[in-house]
Amino acid sequence: RTIQENLQGIECLSGIPGKVGAAPIQNIGAYGQELKDTFQKLTAYDFKKNKFVTIDNQGCQFGYRESMFKKPRNRGRYVIVDLTLKLFKGKLPSISYESLEEYLTKKEIMNPSVQEVRDAVLALRGQKIDDPRVLGNAGSFFKNPIVDRDVLSRLKRAYHNIPYYELVDGKVKLFAGWLIEKAGWKGKTFKNARISEKSALVITNPEGRATAKEIRELSEVISKDVYKKFKVKLEPEVQFIGF
């Protein structure tokens, strides 16, 4: 609907599975955009206070795939019922992600519209992430690690082609999927779970028999292997409930 209205600001979030109300919990993001960039406020029912409350951008304490809602003390406390975003009428999209820029360049789209960016994002997601309605998965399982430049320099001495994304605070974002693939896990099976053949960042449940315990165990084994190889710590993007 926002694309139809030519509203810019969330086009790169296209195709992320989940409901609008869940978006602030994770501070969802993709291809250089995050929800916090356009988020103004939300209304939630607070079970502790037994009333509806309004929480603004600062109050949500957004971070990289983080918010106040993911803190242990707040789990199960709130139900988000609506949220307000500030979008921009007719503003040209800002393309900051290398893979998205490369895709548009190959298509010879130099000044893309929000519709063209959305189409490109959906195409790229289809190449990288298995549809959870077809093959059970929770999308990107790990956060992309944020590291200091000296860590990047150390890794570049051994891996000249290591991909990274420069952040405004001087730090750099590495790509968890690349690290996991280089550690040899892409496409591998572990008990009843499997790392996706499309993206090493995705853990799948190919036959529907993998238990939550197996999924978590696999994630821990992967994290240990990546740390052993790169000395970079991976953190899960998903939430473990009931463990």
mmCIF file of all heavy atoms in Angstrom, residues 143-165:
data_model
loop_
_atom_site.group_PDB
_atom_site.id
_atom_site.type_symbol
_atom_site.label_atom_id
_atom_site.label_comp_id
_atom_site.label_asym_id
_atom_site.label_seq_id
_atom_site.Cartn_x
_atom_site.Cartn_y
_atom_site.Cartn_z
ATOM 1 N N LYS A 143 22.618 -12.551 13.976
ATOM 2 C CA LYS A 143 22.888 -11.153 13.656
ATOM 3 C C LYS A 143 24.205 -11.067 12.889
ATOM 4 O O LYS A 143 25.111 -11.868 13.114
ATOM 5 C CB LYS A 143 23.033 -10.330 14.939
ATOM 6 C CG LYS A 143 21.805 -10.274 15.814
ATOM 7 C CD LYS A 143 22.121 -9.468 17.071
ATOM 8 C CE LYS A 143 20.972 -9.470 18.042
ATOM 9 N NZ LYS A 143 21.295 -8.709 19.279
ATOM 10 N N ASN A 144 24.300 -10.087 12.003
ATOM 11 C CA ASN A 144 25.585 -9.794 11.393
ATOM 12 C C ASN A 144 26.461 -9.119 12.445
ATOM 13 O O ASN A 144 26.070 -8.091 13.002
ATOM 14 C CB ASN A 144 25.418 -8.874 10.178
ATOM 15 C CG ASN A 144 24.794 -9.595 8.998
ATOM 16 O OD1 ASN A 144 25.079 -10.764 8.762
ATOM 17 N ND2 ASN A 144 23.929 -8.905 8.272
ATOM 18 N N PRO A 145 27.630 -9.683 12.767
ATOM 19 C CA PRO A 145 28.444 -9.134 13.854
ATOM 20 C C PRO A 145 29.012 -7.755 13.543
ATOM 21 O O PRO A 145 29.474 -7.499 12.424
ATOM 22 C CB PRO A 145 29.560 -10.168 14.024
ATOM 23 C CG PRO A 145 29.591 -10.932 12.749
ATOM 24 C CD PRO A 145 28.209 -10.906 12.194
ATOM 25 N N ILE A 146 28.945 -6.865 14.535
ATOM 26 C CA ILE A 146 29.537 -5.535 14.438
ATOM 27 C C ILE A 146 30.907 -5.579 15.116
ATOM 28 O O ILE A 146 31.019 -5.966 16.280
ATOM 29 C CB ILE A 146 28.656 -4.481 15.141
ATOM 30 C CG1 ILE A 146 27.197 -4.574 14.651
ATOM 31 C CG2 ILE A 146 29.223 -3.085 14.932
ATOM 32 C CD1 ILE A 146 26.988 -4.255 13.208
ATOM 33 N N VAL A 147 31.939 -5.190 14.386
ATOM 34 C CA VAL A 147 33.305 -5.293 14.926
ATOM 35 C C VAL A 147 34.066 -3.994 14.711
ATOM 36 O O VAL A 147 33.676 -3.145 13.904
ATOM 37 C CB VAL A 147 34.081 -6.463 14.269
ATOM 38 C CG1 VAL A 147 33.371 -7.793 14.503
ATOM 39 C CG2 VAL A 147 34.264 -6.220 12.764
ATOM 40 N N ASP A 148 35.176 -3.843 15.442
ATOM 41 C CA ASP A 148 36.071 -2.709 15.253
ATOM 42 C C ASP A 148 36.897 -2.903 13.983
ATOM 43 O O ASP A 148 37.054 -4.027 13.491
ATOM 44 C CB ASP A 148 37.009 -2.568 16.452
ATOM 45 C CG ASP A 148 36.272 -2.192 17.727
ATOM 46 O OD1 ASP A 148 35.299 -1.411 17.626
ATOM 47 O OD2 ASP A 148 36.654 -2.702 18.800
ATOM 48 N N ARG A 149 37.469 -1.818 13.499
ATOM 49 C CA ARG A 149 38.225 -1.868 12.250
ATOM 50 C C ARG A 149 39.478 -2.733 12.381
ATOM 51 O O ARG A 149 39.937 -3.311 11.387
ATOM 52 C CB ARG A 149 38.596 -0.466 11.796
ATOM 53 C CG ARG A 149 37.398 0.395 11.411
ATOM 54 C CD ARG A 149 37.802 1.534 10.505
ATOM 55 N NE ARG A 149 38.216 1.051 9.208
ATOM 56 C CZ ARG A 149 37.379 0.852 8.178
ATOM 57 N NH1 ARG A 149 36.092 1.060 8.312
ATOM 58 N NH2 ARG A 149 37.847 0.430 7.021
ATOM 59 N N ASP A 150 40.046 -2.840 13.581
ATOM 60 C CA ASP A 150 41.237 -3.673 13.721
ATOM 61 C C ASP A 150 40.915 -5.150 13.534
ATOM 62 O O ASP A 150 41.743 -5.930 13.057
ATOM 63 C CB ASP A 150 41.919 -3.431 15.064
ATOM 64 C CG ASP A 150 41.007 -3.724 16.241
ATOM 65 O OD1 ASP A 150 39.785 -3.747 16.067
ATOM 66 O OD2 ASP A 150 41.541 -3.929 17.361
ATOM 67 N N VAL A 151 39.687 -5.547 13.895
ATOM 68 C CA VAL A 151 39.253 -6.926 13.661
ATOM 69 C C VAL A 151 39.137 -7.172 12.160
ATOM 70 O O VAL A 151 39.589 -8.207 11.645
ATOM 71 C CB VAL A 151 37.909 -7.215 14.357
ATOM 72 C CG1 VAL A 151 37.402 -8.620 14.006
ATOM 73 C CG2 VAL A 151 38.042 -7.061 15.860
ATOM 74 N N LEU A 152 38.554 -6.206 11.445
ATOM 75 C CA LEU A 152 38.457 -6.321 9.988
ATOM 76 C C LEU A 152 39.839 -6.404 9.356
ATOM 77 O O LEU A 152 40.078 -7.230 8.468
ATOM 78 C CB LEU A 152 37.685 -5.137 9.409
ATOM 79 C CG LEU A 152 37.603 -5.078 7.876
ATOM 80 C CD1 LEU A 152 36.818 -6.253 7.325
ATOM 81 C CD2 LEU A 152 36.976 -3.763 7.418
ATOM 82 N N SER A 153 40.766 -5.572 9.812
ATOM 83 C CA SER A 153 42.131 -5.582 9.265
ATOM 84 C C SER A 153 42.783 -6.945 9.462
ATOM 85 O O SER A 153 43.467 -7.454 8.556
ATOM 86 C CB SER A 153 42.973 -4.494 9.940
ATOM 87 O OG SER A 153 42.435 -3.219 9.679
ATOM 88 N N ARG A 154 42.573 -7.529 10.628
ATOM 89 C CA ARG A 154 43.136 -8.863 10.907
ATOM 90 C C ARG A 154 42.555 -9.902 9.955
ATOM 91 O O ARG A 154 43.290 -10.729 9.391
ATOM 92 C CB ARG A 154 42.847 -9.251 12.355
ATOM 93 C CG ARG A 154 43.152 -10.707 12.679
ATOM 94 C CD ARG A 154 42.945 -11.028 14.143
ATOM 95 N NE ARG A 154 41.595 -10.812 14.607
ATOM 96 C CZ ARG A 154 40.589 -11.675 14.413
ATOM 97 N NH1 ARG A 154 40.785 -12.783 13.709
ATOM 98 N NH2 ARG A 154 39.400 -11.428 14.907
ATOM 99 N N LEU A 155 41.254 -9.843 9.754
ATOM 100 C CA LEU A 155 40.602 -10.825 8.888
ATOM 101 C C LEU A 155 40.983 -10.629 7.419
ATOM 102 O O LEU A 155 41.136 -11.603 6.673
ATOM 103 C CB LEU A 155 39.081 -10.739 9.056
ATOM 104 C CG LEU A 155 38.535 -11.222 10.410
ATOM 105 C CD1 LEU A 155 37.060 -10.883 10.544
ATOM 106 C CD2 LEU A 155 38.745 -12.723 10.564
ATOM 107 N N LYS A 156 41.155 -9.378 7.007
ATOM 108 C CA LYS A 156 41.498 -9.103 5.607
ATOM 109 C C LYS A 156 42.882 -9.626 5.238
ATOM 110 O O LYS A 156 43.139 -9.919 4.070
ATOM 111 C CB LYS A 156 41.405 -7.592 5.325
ATOM 112 C CG LYS A 156 39.974 -7.079 5.224
ATOM 113 C CD LYS A 156 39.919 -5.599 4.951
ATOM 114 C CE LYS A 156 40.147 -5.294 3.495
ATOM 115 N NZ LYS A 156 39.893 -3.854 3.202
ATOM 116 N N ARG A 157 43.756 -9.755 6.225
ATOM 117 C CA ARG A 157 45.086 -10.309 5.939
ATOM 118 C C ARG A 157 44.992 -11.776 5.516
ATOM 119 O O ARG A 157 45.797 -12.256 4.721
ATOM 120 C CB ARG A 157 45.981 -10.163 7.169
ATOM 121 C CG ARG A 157 46.457 -8.734 7.408
ATOM 122 C CD ARG A 157 47.610 -8.669 8.390
ATOM 123 N NE ARG A 157 47.190 -8.970 9.754
ATOM 124 C CZ ARG A 157 46.766 -8.060 10.629
ATOM 125 N NH1 ARG A 157 46.693 -6.777 10.267
ATOM 126 N NH2 ARG A 157 46.415 -8.416 11.850
ATOM 127 N N ALA A 158 43.999 -12.467 6.048
ATOM 128 C CA ALA A 158 43.818 -13.886 5.708
ATOM 129 C C ALA A 158 42.768 -14.091 4.618
ATOM 130 O O ALA A 158 42.859 -15.031 3.830
ATOM 131 C CB ALA A 158 43.421 -14.670 6.958
ATOM 132 N N TYR A 159 41.789 -13.188 4.562
ATOM 133 C CA TYR A 159 40.683 -13.322 3.599
ATOM 134 C C TYR A 159 40.520 -11.973 2.892
ATOM 135 O O TYR A 159 39.768 -11.108 3.345
ATOM 136 C CB TYR A 159 39.386 -13.722 4.316
ATOM 137 C CG TYR A 159 39.542 -14.951 5.189
ATOM 138 C CD1 TYR A 159 39.801 -14.828 6.557
ATOM 139 C CD2 TYR A 159 39.442 -16.233 4.645
ATOM 140 C CE1 TYR A 159 39.959 -15.952 7.363
ATOM 141 C CE2 TYR A 159 39.589 -17.359 5.441
ATOM 142 C CZ TYR A 159 39.849 -17.205 6.792
ATOM 143 O OH TYR A 159 40.000 -18.316 7.585
ATOM 144 N N HIS A 160 41.217 -11.821 1.784
ATOM 145 C CA HIS A 160 41.256 -10.529 1.096
ATOM 146 C C HIS A 160 39.896 -10.097 0.573
ATOM 147 O O HIS A 160 39.630 -8.903 0.440
ATOM 148 C CB HIS A 160 42.267 -10.581 -0.066
ATOM 149 C CG HIS A 160 43.647 -10.974 0.367
ATOM 150 N ND1 HIS A 160 44.417 -10.190 1.197
ATOM 151 C CD2 HIS A 160 44.399 -12.092 0.107
ATOM 152 C CE1 HIS A 160 45.574 -10.780 1.424
ATOM 153 N NE2 HIS A 160 45.592 -11.937 0.777
ATOM 154 N N ASN A 161 39.019 -11.071 0.275
ATOM 155 C CA ASN A 161 37.731 -10.750 -0.329
ATOM 156 C C ASN A 161 36.587 -10.748 0.691
ATOM 157 O O ASN A 161 35.419 -10.829 0.310
ATOM 158 C CB ASN A 161 37.408 -11.740 -1.452
ATOM 159 C CG ASN A 161 37.239 -13.168 -0.921
ATOM 160 O OD1 ASN A 161 37.752 -13.487 0.163
ATOM 161 N ND2 ASN A 161 36.540 -14.008 -1.671
ATOM 162 N N ILE A 162 36.899 -10.663 1.978
ATOM 163 C CA ILE A 162 35.839 -10.702 2.983
ATOM 164 C C ILE A 162 34.894 -9.511 2.796
ATOM 165 O O ILE A 162 35.331 -8.360 2.745
ATOM 166 C CB ILE A 162 36.434 -10.719 4.419
ATOM 167 C CG1 ILE A 162 35.316 -10.854 5.457
ATOM 168 C CG2 ILE A 162 37.306 -9.507 4.688
ATOM 169 C CD1 ILE A 162 35.812 -11.094 6.858
ATOM 170 N N PRO A 163 33.599 -9.755 2.668
ATOM 171 C CA PRO A 163 32.661 -8.643 2.489
ATOM 172 C C PRO A 163 32.362 -7.964 3.827
ATOM 173 O O PRO A 163 32.377 -8.610 4.878
ATOM 174 C CB PRO A 163 31.417 -9.320 1.922
ATOM 175 C CG PRO A 163 31.464 -10.711 2.463
ATOM 176 C CD PRO A 163 32.926 -11.065 2.595
ATOM 177 N N TYR A 164 32.090 -6.666 3.778
ATOM 178 C CA TYR A 164 31.749 -5.932 4.999
ATOM 179 C C TYR A 164 30.978 -4.677 4.612
ATOM 180 O O TYR A 164 30.934 -4.276 3.449
ATOM 181 C CB TYR A 164 33.002 -5.579 5.795
ATOM 182 C CG TYR A 164 33.990 -4.703 5.065
ATOM 183 C CD1 TYR A 164 33.953 -3.314 5.175
ATOM 184 C CD2 TYR A 164 34.968 -5.275 4.249
ATOM 185 C CE1 TYR A 164 34.855 -2.515 4.488
ATOM 186 C CE2 TYR A 164 35.877 -4.485 3.566
ATOM 187 C CZ TYR A 164 35.811 -3.103 3.688
ATOM 188 O OH TYR A 164 36.697 -2.314 3.002
ATOM 189 N N TYR A 165 30.374 -4.076 5.631
ATOM 190 C CA TYR A 165 29.551 -2.878 5.420
ATOM 191 C C TYR A 165 29.986 -1.839 6.449
ATOM 192 O O TYR A 165 29.959 -2.103 7.654
ATOM 193 C CB TYR A 165 28.070 -3.233 5.593
ATOM 194 C CG TYR A 165 27.098 -2.099 5.394
ATOM 195 C CD1 TYR A 165 26.829 -1.602 4.131
ATOM 196 C CD2 TYR A 165 26.423 -1.543 6.484
ATOM 197 C CE1 TYR A 165 25.919 -0.568 3.947
ATOM 198 C CE2 TYR A 165 25.514 -0.514 6.311
ATOM 199 C CZ TYR A 165 25.268 -0.039 5.043
ATOM 200 O OH TYR A 165 24.361 0.988 4.856
#
